[in-house]
Amino acid sequence: MKIRPAQLEDISNIVDVHIEGFDGFFLTLLGRGFLSELYKAFAFRDNGVLRVLYDEDNIIGYAAGTVKPVEFYHCLRKDKAFSFFLKAIPSLIRNPYIVIKKLWYALFYKGEKPSSMSNAALLSSIAILPNSSGKSLGKKLLMDFEKSVKSLGCNSLYLTTDKFGNDRAIAFYERTGYEIESEFIQADGRKMLRLFKML
């Protein structure tokens, strides 16, 4: 298994991994087109980071985030809001009430960066194909992402994850050195944990 920066031809496979790993989750409900635009942004926009774990030509997992969360999401909204809306139209037709709520939340998302972390990167999403879990690949990918953002000048990394029904993910992060920094409620009512790690 090797890890490298994502390339344009990886995006469709990254979306496949996301859909398998996050079935029924917030972003998944917005559809493949929306996810493709989002992961292209992580790969190719300023301050984005998108790393892929691969075996020969197969994408096994990915880690996506940004070294400047507030700036990244501000510029993304300014430049791509209409494009994201267009990509979400098929999902909007199928589930209008849910998708409108999710799009409204996404429009105002800023990365949930705590004020106490002045030079922190954000891990926005990390996933491994379910049939490849249990092989320490998630840990390998996370360590690579940490090294990547540290090389770009960040001294800490944070992430947000659901507080309830999420014991396995929380335990994974705690085993890899993350601590719970705070709890908060998102605009959509989900109770969340913010975890962080000094790099």
Side-chain angles (χ1 to χ4, degrees), residues 21-48:
F22 298 106
D23 183 36
F25 277 60
F26 160 58
L27 290 176
T28 309
L29 293 174
L30 298 178
R32 290 190 66 89
F34 186 99
L35 291 170
S36 293
E37 285 293 312
L38 180 62
Y39 287 113
K40 284 178 191 174
F42 285 124
F44 305 115
R45 291 183 71 88
D46 288 345
N47 302 316

PDB file of all heavy atoms in Angstrom, residues 21-48:
ATOM      1  N   GLY A  21     -18.226   4.323   2.668  1.00  0.00           N
ATOM      2  CA  GLY A  21     -17.858   4.556   4.057  1.00  0.00           C
ATOM      3  C   GLY A  21     -18.851   5.383   4.844  1.00  0.00           C
ATOM      4  O   GLY A  21     -18.920   5.284   6.066  1.00  0.00           O
ATOM      5  N   PHE A  22     -19.621   6.220   4.134  1.00  0.00           N
ATOM      6  CA  PHE A  22     -20.526   7.153   4.814  1.00  0.00           C
ATOM      7  C   PHE A  22     -21.948   7.056   4.266  1.00  0.00           C
ATOM      8  O   PHE A  22     -22.594   8.066   3.993  1.00  0.00           O
ATOM      9  CB  PHE A  22     -20.007   8.591   4.674  1.00  0.00           C
ATOM     10  CG  PHE A  22     -18.660   8.810   5.300  1.00  0.00           C
ATOM     11  CD1 PHE A  22     -17.525   8.959   4.514  1.00  0.00           C
ATOM     12  CD2 PHE A  22     -18.520   8.857   6.672  1.00  0.00           C
ATOM     13  CE1 PHE A  22     -16.277   9.161   5.087  1.00  0.00           C
ATOM     14  CE2 PHE A  22     -17.279   9.060   7.267  1.00  0.00           C
ATOM     15  CZ  PHE A  22     -16.152   9.208   6.465  1.00  0.00           C
ATOM     16  N   ASP A  23     -22.441   5.852   4.138  1.00  0.00           N
ATOM     17  CA  ASP A  23     -23.794   5.632   3.642  1.00  0.00           C
ATOM     18  C   ASP A  23     -24.814   6.305   4.569  1.00  0.00           C
ATOM     19  O   ASP A  23     -24.809   6.075   5.779  1.00  0.00           O
ATOM     20  CB  ASP A  23     -24.068   4.126   3.563  1.00  0.00           C
ATOM     21  CG  ASP A  23     -25.431   3.820   2.984  1.00  0.00           C
ATOM     22  OD1 ASP A  23     -25.878   4.546   2.078  1.00  0.00           O
ATOM     23  OD2 ASP A  23     -26.072   2.855   3.452  1.00  0.00           O
ATOM     24  N   GLY A  24     -25.658   7.157   3.993  1.00  0.00           N
ATOM     25  CA  GLY A  24     -26.695   7.831   4.763  1.00  0.00           C
ATOM     26  C   GLY A  24     -26.246   9.082   5.490  1.00  0.00           C
ATOM     27  O   GLY A  24     -27.051   9.735   6.160  1.00  0.00           O
ATOM     28  N   PHE A  25     -24.971   9.454   5.389  1.00  0.00           N
ATOM     29  CA  PHE A  25     -24.466  10.640   6.071  1.00  0.00           C
ATOM     30  C   PHE A  25     -24.817  11.916   5.307  1.00  0.00           C
ATOM     31  O   PHE A  25     -25.224  11.889   4.145  1.00  0.00           O
ATOM     32  CB  PHE A  25     -22.942  10.547   6.251  1.00  0.00           C
ATOM     33  CG  PHE A  25     -22.505   9.745   7.449  1.00  0.00           C
ATOM     34  CD1 PHE A  25     -22.850   8.406   7.585  1.00  0.00           C
ATOM     35  CD2 PHE A  25     -21.748  10.327   8.453  1.00  0.00           C
ATOM     36  CE1 PHE A  25     -22.440   7.664   8.677  1.00  0.00           C
ATOM     37  CE2 PHE A  25     -21.337   9.603   9.563  1.00  0.00           C
ATOM     38  CZ  PHE A  25     -21.688   8.265   9.667  1.00  0.00           C
ATOM     39  N   PHE A  26     -24.608  13.030   5.994  1.00  0.00           N
ATOM     40  CA  PHE A  26     -24.901  14.378   5.505  1.00  0.00           C
ATOM     41  C   PHE A  26     -24.452  14.618   4.064  1.00  0.00           C
ATOM     42  O   PHE A  26     -25.260  14.848   3.170  1.00  0.00           O
ATOM     43  CB  PHE A  26     -24.252  15.373   6.474  1.00  0.00           C
ATOM     44  CG  PHE A  26     -24.031  16.751   5.940  1.00  0.00           C
ATOM     45  CD1 PHE A  26     -25.077  17.500   5.462  1.00  0.00           C
ATOM     46  CD2 PHE A  26     -22.765  17.306   5.943  1.00  0.00           C
ATOM     47  CE1 PHE A  26     -24.880  18.780   4.975  1.00  0.00           C
ATOM     48  CE2 PHE A  26     -22.546  18.577   5.460  1.00  0.00           C
ATOM     49  CZ  PHE A  26     -23.615  19.313   4.980  1.00  0.00           C
ATOM     50  N   LEU A  27     -23.159  14.530   3.800  1.00  0.00           N
ATOM     51  CA  LEU A  27     -22.650  14.855   2.465  1.00  0.00           C
ATOM     52  C   LEU A  27     -23.073  13.823   1.434  1.00  0.00           C
ATOM     53  O   LEU A  27     -23.326  14.178   0.275  1.00  0.00           O
ATOM     54  CB  LEU A  27     -21.129  14.967   2.487  1.00  0.00           C
ATOM     55  CG  LEU A  27     -20.559  16.179   3.214  1.00  0.00           C
ATOM     56  CD1 LEU A  27     -19.039  16.110   3.252  1.00  0.00           C
ATOM     57  CD2 LEU A  27     -21.004  17.480   2.553  1.00  0.00           C
ATOM     58  N   THR A  28     -23.168  12.575   1.817  1.00  0.00           N
ATOM     59  CA  THR A  28     -23.552  11.524   0.879  1.00  0.00           C
ATOM     60  C   THR A  28     -24.926  11.797   0.295  1.00  0.00           C
ATOM     61  O   THR A  28     -25.177  11.536  -0.890  1.00  0.00           O
ATOM     62  CB  THR A  28     -23.511  10.153   1.577  1.00  0.00           C
ATOM     63  OG1 THR A  28     -22.255  10.003   2.236  1.00  0.00           O
ATOM     64  CG2 THR A  28     -23.697   9.026   0.584  1.00  0.00           C
ATOM     65  N   LEU A  29     -25.821  12.347   1.107  1.00  0.00           N
ATOM     66  CA  LEU A  29     -27.177  12.645   0.641  1.00  0.00           C
ATOM     67  C   LEU A  29     -27.197  13.691  -0.470  1.00  0.00           C
ATOM     68  O   LEU A  29     -28.160  13.780  -1.232  1.00  0.00           O
ATOM     69  CB  LEU A  29     -28.038  13.138   1.811  1.00  0.00           C
ATOM     70  CG  LEU A  29     -28.349  12.117   2.901  1.00  0.00           C
ATOM     71  CD1 LEU A  29     -29.076  12.774   4.048  1.00  0.00           C
ATOM     72  CD2 LEU A  29     -29.171  10.955   2.337  1.00  0.00           C
ATOM     73  N   LEU A  30     -26.132  14.473  -0.590  1.00  0.00           N
ATOM     74  CA  LEU A  30     -26.093  15.524  -1.611  1.00  0.00           C
ATOM     75  C   LEU A  30     -25.684  15.002  -2.989  1.00  0.00           C
ATOM     76  O   LEU A  30     -25.746  15.730  -3.969  1.00  0.00           O
ATOM     77  CB  LEU A  30     -25.162  16.650  -1.173  1.00  0.00           C
ATOM     78  CG  LEU A  30     -25.593  17.362   0.119  1.00  0.00           C
ATOM     79  CD1 LEU A  30     -24.591  18.425   0.504  1.00  0.00           C
ATOM     80  CD2 LEU A  30     -26.989  17.953  -0.010  1.00  0.00           C
ATOM     81  N   GLY A  31     -25.261  13.754  -3.083  1.00  0.00           N
ATOM     82  CA  GLY A  31     -25.055  13.121  -4.379  1.00  0.00           C
ATOM     83  C   GLY A  31     -23.625  13.110  -4.887  1.00  0.00           C
ATOM     84  O   GLY A  31     -22.746  13.814  -4.393  1.00  0.00           O
ATOM     85  N   ARG A  32     -23.406  12.272  -5.900  1.00  0.00           N
ATOM     86  CA  ARG A  32     -22.074  12.087  -6.482  1.00  0.00           C
ATOM     87  C   ARG A  32     -21.516  13.377  -7.071  1.00  0.00           C
ATOM     88  O   ARG A  32     -20.316  13.661  -6.949  1.00  0.00           O
ATOM     89  CB  ARG A  32     -22.099  11.020  -7.577  1.00  0.00           C
ATOM     90  CG  ARG A  32     -22.313   9.610  -7.085  1.00  0.00           C
ATOM     91  CD  ARG A  32     -22.075   8.621  -8.220  1.00  0.00           C
ATOM     92  NE  ARG A  32     -20.682   8.634  -8.623  1.00  0.00           N
ATOM     93  CZ  ARG A  32     -19.738   7.871  -8.090  1.00  0.00           C
ATOM     94  NH1 ARG A  32     -20.048   7.015  -7.125  1.00  0.00           N
ATOM     95  NH2 ARG A  32     -18.493   7.938  -8.506  1.00  0.00           N
ATOM     96  N   GLY A  33     -22.359  14.146  -7.755  1.00  0.00           N
ATOM     97  CA  GLY A  33     -21.877  15.385  -8.369  1.00  0.00           C
ATOM     98  C   GLY A  33     -21.354  16.354  -7.333  1.00  0.00           C
ATOM     99  O   GLY A  33     -20.285  16.965  -7.514  1.00  0.00           O
ATOM    100  N   PHE A  34     -22.090  16.504  -6.257  1.00  0.00           N
ATOM    101  CA  PHE A  34     -21.675  17.384  -5.165  1.00  0.00           C
ATOM    102  C   PHE A  34     -20.360  16.897  -4.567  1.00  0.00           C
ATOM    103  O   PHE A  34     -19.425  17.674  -4.357  1.00  0.00           O
ATOM    104  CB  PHE A  34     -22.765  17.429  -4.096  1.00  0.00           C
ATOM    105  CG  PHE A  34     -22.504  18.418  -2.995  1.00  0.00           C
ATOM    106  CD1 PHE A  34     -23.106  19.659  -3.019  1.00  0.00           C
ATOM    107  CD2 PHE A  34     -21.660  18.111  -1.934  1.00  0.00           C
ATOM    108  CE1 PHE A  34     -22.872  20.586  -2.002  1.00  0.00           C
ATOM    109  CE2 PHE A  34     -21.426  19.016  -0.920  1.00  0.00           C
ATOM    110  CZ  PHE A  34     -22.026  20.255  -0.952  1.00  0.00           C
ATOM    111  N   LEU A  35     -20.270  15.601  -4.295  1.00  0.00           N
ATOM    112  CA  LEU A  35     -19.057  15.038  -3.709  1.00  0.00           C
ATOM    113  C   LEU A  35     -17.852  15.207  -4.634  1.00  0.00           C
ATOM    114  O   LEU A  35     -16.744  15.507  -4.177  1.00  0.00           O
ATOM    115  CB  LEU A  35     -19.267  13.559  -3.379  1.00  0.00           C
ATOM    116  CG  LEU A  35     -20.233  13.262  -2.232  1.00  0.00           C
ATOM    117  CD1 LEU A  35     -20.543  11.768  -2.183  1.00  0.00           C
ATOM    118  CD2 LEU A  35     -19.679  13.741  -0.901  1.00  0.00           C
ATOM    119  N   SER A  36     -18.066  15.037  -5.931  1.00  0.00           N
ATOM    120  CA  SER A  36     -16.962  15.216  -6.890  1.00  0.00           C
ATOM    121  C   SER A  36     -16.421  16.632  -6.839  1.00  0.00           C
ATOM    122  O   SER A  36     -15.198  16.841  -6.822  1.00  0.00           O
ATOM    123  CB  SER A  36     -17.430  14.887  -8.310  1.00  0.00           C
ATOM    124  OG  SER A  36     -17.735  13.515  -8.438  1.00  0.00           O
ATOM    125  N   GLU A  37     -17.325  17.611  -6.807  1.00  0.00           N
ATOM    126  CA  GLU A  37     -16.884  19.015  -6.726  1.00  0.00           C
ATOM    127  C   GLU A  37     -16.116  19.272  -5.428  1.00  0.00           C
ATOM    128  O   GLU A  37     -15.099  19.967  -5.410  1.00  0.00           O
ATOM    129  CB  GLU A  37     -18.092  19.955  -6.793  1.00  0.00           C
ATOM    130  CG  GLU A  37     -18.693  20.107  -8.168  1.00  0.00           C
ATOM    131  CD  GLU A  37     -17.753  20.809  -9.129  1.00  0.00           C
ATOM    132  OE1 GLU A  37     -17.193  21.871  -8.776  1.00  0.00           O
ATOM    133  OE2 GLU A  37     -17.572  20.299 -10.251  1.00  0.00           O
ATOM    134  N   LEU A  38     -16.606  18.701  -4.344  1.00  0.00           N
ATOM    135  CA  LEU A  38     -15.969  18.913  -3.051  1.00  0.00           C
ATOM    136  C   LEU A  38     -14.555  18.324  -3.029  1.00  0.00           C
ATOM    137  O   LEU A  38     -13.599  18.992  -2.610  1.00  0.00           O
ATOM    138  CB  LEU A  38     -16.815  18.288  -1.942  1.00  0.00           C
ATOM    139  CG  LEU A  38     -16.265  18.431  -0.524  1.00  0.00           C
ATOM    140  CD1 LEU A  38     -16.172  19.899  -0.115  1.00  0.00           C
ATOM    141  CD2 LEU A  38     -17.133  17.658   0.465  1.00  0.00           C
ATOM    142  N   TYR A  39     -14.409  17.092  -3.486  1.00  0.00           N
ATOM    143  CA  TYR A  39     -13.082  16.466  -3.435  1.00  0.00           C
ATOM    144  C   TYR A  39     -12.121  17.069  -4.457  1.00  0.00           C
ATOM    145  O   TYR A  39     -10.909  17.108  -4.212  1.00  0.00           O
ATOM    146  CB  TYR A  39     -13.206  14.944  -3.538  1.00  0.00           C
ATOM    147  CG  TYR A  39     -13.749  14.356  -2.263  1.00  0.00           C
ATOM    148  CD1 TYR A  39     -14.998  13.752  -2.210  1.00  0.00           C
ATOM    149  CD2 TYR A  39     -13.032  14.463  -1.075  1.00  0.00           C
ATOM    150  CE1 TYR A  39     -15.513  13.254  -1.020  1.00  0.00           C
ATOM    151  CE2 TYR A  39     -13.536  13.972   0.121  1.00  0.00           C
ATOM    152  CZ  TYR A  39     -14.776  13.370   0.142  1.00  0.00           C
ATOM    153  OH  TYR A  39     -15.277  12.891   1.333  1.00  0.00           O
ATOM    154  N   LYS A  40     -12.627  17.577  -5.555  1.00  0.00           N
ATOM    155  CA  LYS A  40     -11.764  18.332  -6.469  1.00  0.00           C
ATOM    156  C   LYS A  40     -11.223  19.578  -5.771  1.00  0.00           C
ATOM    157  O   LYS A  40     -10.065  19.966  -5.957  1.00  0.00           O
ATOM    158  CB  LYS A  40     -12.533  18.745  -7.729  1.00  0.00           C
ATOM    159  CG  LYS A  40     -12.757  17.634  -8.710  1.00  0.00           C
ATOM    160  CD  LYS A  40     -13.575  18.143  -9.898  1.00  0.00           C
ATOM    161  CE  LYS A  40     -14.049  17.003 -10.766  1.00  0.00           C
ATOM    162  NZ  LYS A  40     -14.960  17.478 -11.837  1.00  0.00           N
ATOM    163  N   ALA A  41     -12.063  20.206  -4.971  1.00  0.00           N
ATOM    164  CA  ALA A  41     -11.624  21.402  -4.231  1.00  0.00           C
ATOM    165  C   ALA A  41     -10.511  21.045  -3.249  1.00  0.00           C
ATOM    166  O   ALA A  41      -9.495  21.743  -3.169  1.00  0.00           O
ATOM    167  CB  ALA A  41     -12.812  22.034  -3.507  1.00  0.00           C
ATOM    168  N   PHE A  42     -10.683  19.963  -2.499  1.00  0.00           N
ATOM    169  CA  PHE A  42      -9.621  19.559  -1.573  1.00  0.00           C
ATOM    170  C   PHE A  42      -8.321  19.250  -2.311  1.00  0.00           C
ATOM    171  O   PHE A  42      -7.237  19.539  -1.817  1.00  0.00           O
ATOM    172  CB  PHE A  42     -10.047  18.330  -0.764  1.00  0.00           C
ATOM    173  CG  PHE A  42     -11.035  18.618   0.333  1.00  0.00           C
ATOM    174  CD1 PHE A  42     -12.249  17.946   0.381  1.00  0.00           C
ATOM    175  CD2 PHE A  42     -10.751  19.548   1.318  1.00  0.00           C
ATOM    176  CE1 PHE A  42     -13.165  18.201   1.403  1.00  0.00           C
ATOM    177  CE2 PHE A  42     -11.665  19.809   2.342  1.00  0.00           C
ATOM    178  CZ  PHE A  42     -12.866  19.136   2.380  1.00  0.00           C
ATOM    179  N   ALA A  43      -8.438  18.680  -3.499  1.00  0.00           N
ATOM    180  CA  ALA A  43      -7.239  18.274  -4.247  1.00  0.00           C
ATOM    181  C   ALA A  43      -6.528  19.444  -4.907  1.00  0.00           C
ATOM    182  O   ALA A  43      -5.297  19.468  -4.952  1.00  0.00           O
ATOM    183  CB  ALA A  43      -7.621  17.229  -5.301  1.00  0.00           C
ATOM    184  N   PHE A  44      -7.276  20.423  -5.414  1.00  0.00           N
ATOM    185  CA  PHE A  44      -6.669  21.388  -6.330  1.00  0.00           C
ATOM    186  C   PHE A  44      -6.777  22.851  -5.922  1.00  0.00           C
ATOM    187  O   PHE A  44      -6.162  23.701  -6.552  1.00  0.00           O
ATOM    188  CB  PHE A  44      -7.251  21.200  -7.738  1.00  0.00           C
ATOM    189  CG  PHE A  44      -7.105  19.791  -8.246  1.00  0.00           C
ATOM    190  CD1 PHE A  44      -8.220  18.999  -8.493  1.00  0.00           C
ATOM    191  CD2 PHE A  44      -5.852  19.236  -8.434  1.00  0.00           C
ATOM    192  CE1 PHE A  44      -8.080  17.697  -8.943  1.00  0.00           C
ATOM    193  CE2 PHE A  44      -5.702  17.930  -8.885  1.00  0.00           C
ATOM    194  CZ  PHE A  44      -6.819  17.160  -9.141  1.00  0.00           C
ATOM    195  N   ARG A  45      -7.537  23.174  -4.901  1.00  0.00           N
ATOM    196  CA  ARG A  45      -7.635  24.568  -4.482  1.00  0.00           C
ATOM    197  C   ARG A  45      -6.555  24.894  -3.444  1.00  0.00           C
ATOM    198  O   ARG A  45      -6.069  24.008  -2.731  1.00  0.00           O
ATOM    199  CB  ARG A  45      -9.020  24.865  -3.888  1.00  0.00           C
ATOM    200  CG  ARG A  45     -10.133  24.822  -4.925  1.00  0.00           C
ATOM    201  CD  ARG A  45     -11.459  25.194  -4.315  1.00  0.00           C
ATOM    202  NE  ARG A  45     -11.526  26.600  -3.981  1.00  0.00           N
ATOM    203  CZ  ARG A  45     -11.928  27.551  -4.815  1.00  0.00           C
ATOM    204  NH1 ARG A  45     -12.288  27.255  -6.042  1.00  0.00           N
ATOM    205  NH2 ARG A  45     -11.978  28.797  -4.419  1.00  0.00           N
ATOM    206  N   ASP A  46      -6.220  26.186  -3.350  1.00  0.00           N
ATOM    207  CA  ASP A  46      -5.260  26.631  -2.341  1.00  0.00           C
ATOM    208  C   ASP A  46      -5.717  26.177  -0.958  1.00  0.00           C
ATOM    209  O   ASP A  46      -6.910  26.271  -0.631  1.00  0.00           O
ATOM    210  CB  ASP A  46      -5.142  28.157  -2.349  1.00  0.00           C
ATOM    211  CG  ASP A  46      -4.401  28.666  -3.572  1.00  0.00           C
ATOM    212  OD1 ASP A  46      -3.742  27.848  -4.253  1.00  0.00           O
ATOM    213  OD2 ASP A  46      -4.478  29.876  -3.839  1.00  0.00           O
ATOM    214  N   ASN A  47      -4.782  25.718  -0.161  1.00  0.00           N
ATOM    215  CA  ASN A  47      -4.993  25.314   1.233  1.00  0.00           C
ATOM    216  C   ASN A  47      -5.705  23.976   1.395  1.00  0.00           C
ATOM    217  O   ASN A  47      -5.958  23.544   2.520  1.00  0.00           O
ATOM    218  CB  ASN A  47      -5.743  26.392   2.032  1.00  0.00           C
ATOM    219  CG  ASN A  47      -5.010  27.716   2.020  1.00  0.00           C
ATOM    220  OD1 ASN A  47      -3.792  27.744   2.191  1.00  0.00           O
ATOM    221  ND2 ASN A  47      -5.727  28.807   1.800  1.00  0.00           N
ATOM    222  N   GLY A  48      -6.048  23.304   0.299  1.00  0.00           N
ATOM    223  CA  GLY A  48      -6.659  21.984   0.382  1.00  0.00           C
ATOM    224  C   GLY A  48      -5.596  20.893   0.405  1.00  0.00           C
ATOM    225  O   GLY A  48      -4.491  21.071  -0.112  1.00  0.00           O
TER     226      GLY A  48
END
